[in-house]
């Protein structure tokens, strides 16, 4: 005797079991950030200097971001950057589509293009802008 598939009304099931049942195929999957993606923030800031919240340079950086209508929680920031990655790894890891370089040159992140400070340069779907260290431009 073959087993017959029986359909039970979903409202009957809800009445019997309440919120104790979950549909496995309709559950939202929670994705934990893996090592390949740290954040969904699209802006990455690389600083040669070591700055901490409350430091004058940190406050200066907040002012720069404020002029761009951004806040610190809108960006990923890597301080004391010392050439420990290439541009592809950095943009992939941080999910960046815009990278701000302070005191870091394109060659430091193995970016195969040269561009002057304060000029936006696109490469491989990511826009880059560079400037001297924060301490230099703060005093300028």
């Amino acid at each position: 005797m073959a087993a017959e598939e029986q359909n039970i009304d979903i409202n009957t099931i809800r009445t019997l079991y309440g919120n104790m049942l979950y549909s496995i195929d309709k559950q939202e999957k929670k994705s934990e950030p893996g090592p390949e993606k740290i954040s969904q923030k699209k802006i990455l800031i690389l600083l040669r200097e070591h700055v901490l919240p409350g430091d004058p340079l940190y406050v200066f950086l907040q002012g720069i971001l404020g002029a761009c209508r951004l806040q610190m929680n809108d960006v990923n920031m890597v301080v004391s950057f010392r050439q420990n990655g290439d541009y592809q790894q950095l943009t992939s890891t941080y999910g960046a589509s815009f990278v701000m370089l302070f005191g870091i040159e394109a060659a430091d992140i193995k970016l195969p293009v040269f561009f002057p400070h304060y000029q936006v340069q696109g490469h491989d779907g990511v826009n880059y802008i560079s400037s001297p260290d924060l301490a230099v431009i703060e005093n300028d």
Side-chain angles (χ1 to χ4, degrees):
M1 181 164 157
E4 290 184 30
E5 184 178 318
Q6 298 199 4
N7 292 324
I8 300 174
D9 180 40
I10 190 71
N11 292 324
T12 304
I13 294 174
R14 284 187 183 135
T15 303
L16 293 172
Y17 295 102
N19 292 330
M20 295 173 21
L21 293 178
Y22 297 93
S23 174
I24 293 173
D25 55 339
K26 292 186 180 180
Q27 281 185 348
E28 293 181 24
K29 295 181 180 178
K30 295 180 181 178
S31 62
E32 296 295 324
E36 65 280 351
K37 287 265 186 187
I38 291 178
S39 174
Q40 294 302 316
K41 298 175 183 177
K42 298 296 181 190
I43 300 169
L44 173 63
I45 298 175
L46 299 178
L47 297 161
R48 172 104 33 226
E49 300 145 313
H50 185 76
V51 297
L52 297 172
D55 287 347
L57 290 179
Y58 188 87
V59 173
F60 179 63
L61 180 59
Q62 284 179 308
I64 292 171
L65 292 177
C68 299
R69 297 184 181 205
L70 295 169
Q71 297 177 359
M72 293 305 278
N73 61 357
D74 295 329
V75 301
N76 284 314
M77 185 168 63
V78 177
V79 297
S80 302
F81 182 79
R82 298 286 186 255
Q83 303 172 354
N84 58 354
D86 65 14
Y87 74 97
Q88 292 171 323
Q89 176 192 13
L90 289 165
T91 56
S92 172
T93 299
Y94 291 96
S97 61
F98 194 89
V99 179
M100 301 171 86
L101 307 168
F102 291 96
I104 298 167
E105 299 300 324
D108 295 339
I109 58 172
K110 301 175 184 78
L111 192 61
V113 294
F114 172 79
F115 53 98
H117 287 158
Y118 311 114
Q119 178 181 317
V120 176
Q121 175 67 46
H123 178 72
D124 201 20
V126 179
N127 288 318
Y128 298 85
I129 190 166
S130 69
S131 77
D133 285 322
L134 286 174
V136 172
I137 60 175
E138 181 184 39
N139 294 324
D140 192 1

